[in-house]
Amino acid sequence: MDLTRHLHTFGYYLKRRFGEPVHKLSLSGDFTCPNRDGTLGRGGCTFCNVRSFGRDAAELTISQQLEREKAKTDRAGKYLAYFQAYTSTYAEVEVLKALYDEAAGAADVVGLCVGTRPDCVPDAALDLLAGYRDAGREVWLELGLQTANDATQALIRRGHTLADYRDAAERARARGLKVCAHLIVGLPGEGWEQAHQTLATVLDIGVAGLKLHPLMIVRGSRMAAQYRRGEVQPQSLDDYADLAASLIRHTPADVVFHRVSATAQAPTLIAPDWCGPRWTALQAIGARLARAGGQGSALGQAWPPAD
Ligand code: SF4
């Protein structure tokens, strides 16, 4: 399934900019997060299992991690250093600079992607990132919003609000930084209405990229216990694909989709089982886009669309 026929994928965007494939290499800067270190809480967001970030990587230097990840990809080309684990702006700016410098200076690394919480991006961190962008690097700030609904934010114990996201996104955009919003589709109590409201909100604030993620129940999360008690239920493949395709169709064509689904493997993944195989959700979403129209084809239309 060639999704680039139906949506503006990150791979396509990068290939156009750099003229060759660019791969993301996941790194850990040995950060923690305020929802785990006691600043906001200790148990974390209810869906999160930080062990899936691979904390062992933090024992390696950034250069060592890059070499290890390059060897794993087995794909030639250029690379983006992706600070993925925990909250990757959650340190003094001098610490951040040392980590980002090491990554940005590595061979064949053309830029940085930095994943973080919207309440953990002080101006000094944004200025630092803007410096790499000014030096010609590709730079993305990946902000975990998950939902624009503050009631759901509280339910999943995010510890921040939509206002935090708006503030961080606006300060980043004022510096010309590209913002990618992470959204989880199918959070408890959320359906089409909330998902479309979240999309409309992030588009209204202004966003260069989106990551759509199905709700996954992973081992070690608080939600795993809620799932066992029957209190939460992940979406079916059809429900997720229908809604994800609708969100894509309601997104302008210039917004880059970094991801439209996600995978995990047992024993980390508890449910849904369709999140195991890499292509299952992508093929389901692609089939819907092929049938109903691709990215942006439903702009201005009400939802649910009549497809
Ligand atoms: S999802 Fe991010 S902010 Fe939430 S507990 Fe996990 S690492 Fe912390």
Side-chain angles (χ1 to χ4, degrees):
M1 172 59 67
D2 182 9
L3 281 178
T4 58
R5 293 170 56 200
H6 309 297
L7 70 147
H8 191 178
T9 65
F10 196 39
Y12 176 82
Y13 162 85
L14 290 169
K15 196 163 182 190
R16 279 199 63 177
R17 172 163 181 198
F18 293 99
E20 62 182 312
V22 179
H23 313 290
K24 262 172 121 172
L25 303 177
S26 292
L27 304 174
S28 172
D30 200 19
F31 300 103
T32 177
C33 96
N35 221 2
R36 295 231 171 231
D37 70 1
T39 304
L40 293 172
R42 291 217 174 265
C45 308
T46 60
F47 59 83
C48 174
N49 168 15
V50 284
R51 275 172 286 181
S52 65
F53 289 146
R55 190 136 184 103
D56 62 310
E59 293 165 6
L60 305 176
T61 66
I62 293 299
S63 302
Q64 289 169 333
Q65 291 181 51
L66 284 168
E67 288 311 310
R68 186 174 86 166
E69 294 303 306
K70 275 186 201 176
K72 269 197 227 167
T73 67
D74 198 25
R75 291 186 291 184
K78 300 272 190 268
Y79 303 97
L80 288 175
Y82 178 27
F83 286 87
Q84 178 182 23
Y86 289 85
T87 300
S88 294
T89 55
Y90 193 47
E92 296 299 320
V93 72
E94 295 77 14
V95 175
L96 299 179
K97 184 173 187 318
L99 293 166
Y100 299 166
D101 276 356
E102 186 174 350
D108 295 324
V109 170
V110 295
L112 303 172
C113 296
V114 175
T116 189
R117 294 168 54 91
D119 56 349
C120 292
V121 278
D123 285 345
L126 294 176
D127 291 340
L128 177 63
L129 290 174
Y132 299 105
R133 187 274 325 277
D134 292 343
R137 298 311 184 113
E138 179 76 19
V139 177
W140 285 84
L141 180 69
E142 302 199 13
L143 291 178
L145 174 63
Q146 320 311 352
T147 171
N149 184 332
D150 280 346
T152 308
Q153 293 273 14
L155 189 68
I156 61 174
R157 302 194 190 202
R158 279 292 290 174
H160 68 72
T161 62
L162 172 62
D164 294 313
Y165 173 84
R166 185 184 296 276
D167 173 58
E170 289 179 350
R171 285 185 293 110
R173 286 168 54 78
R175 289 163 171 80
L177 288 168
K178 294 188 184 81
V179 172
C180 173
H182 291 204
L183 308 178
I184 297 179
V185 176
L187 284 167
E190 295 211 341
W192 280 62
E193 179 175 357
Q194 292 81 10
H196 275 277
Q197 282 175 348
T198 292
L199 176 68
T201 301
V202 296
L203 292 177
D204 182 58
I205 292 169
V207 76
L210 290 171
K211 254 186 193 179
L212 302 183
H213 204 297
L215 179 66
M216 292 193 293
I217 312 297
V218 292
R219 183 177 289 218
S221 67
R222 295 189 211 231
M223 214 173 257
Q226 294 172 330
Y227 175 72
R228 280 193 292 273
R229 295 195 298 267
E231 296 167 7
V232 294
Q233 188 62 42
Q235 288 184 300
S236 68
L237 172 60
D238 280 343
D239 286 349
Y240 179 74
D242 285 345
L243 182 44
S246 179
L247 294 171
I248 294 165
R249 296 184 63 229
H250 283 81
T251 300
D254 61 333
V255 175
V256 180
F257 275 95
H258 290 225
R259 170 186 283 279
V260 295
S261 189
T263 58
Q265 306 305 319
T268 298
L269 178 67
I270 296 174
D273 56 7
W274 55 264
C275 282
R278 182 172 176 205
W279 297 107
T280 301
L282 300 182
Q283 285 172 340
I285 293 167
R288 284 156 174 80
L289 296 174
R291 192 166 61 236
Q295 182 172 343
S297 62
L299 279 173
Q301 292 180 19
W303 53 265
D307 52 34

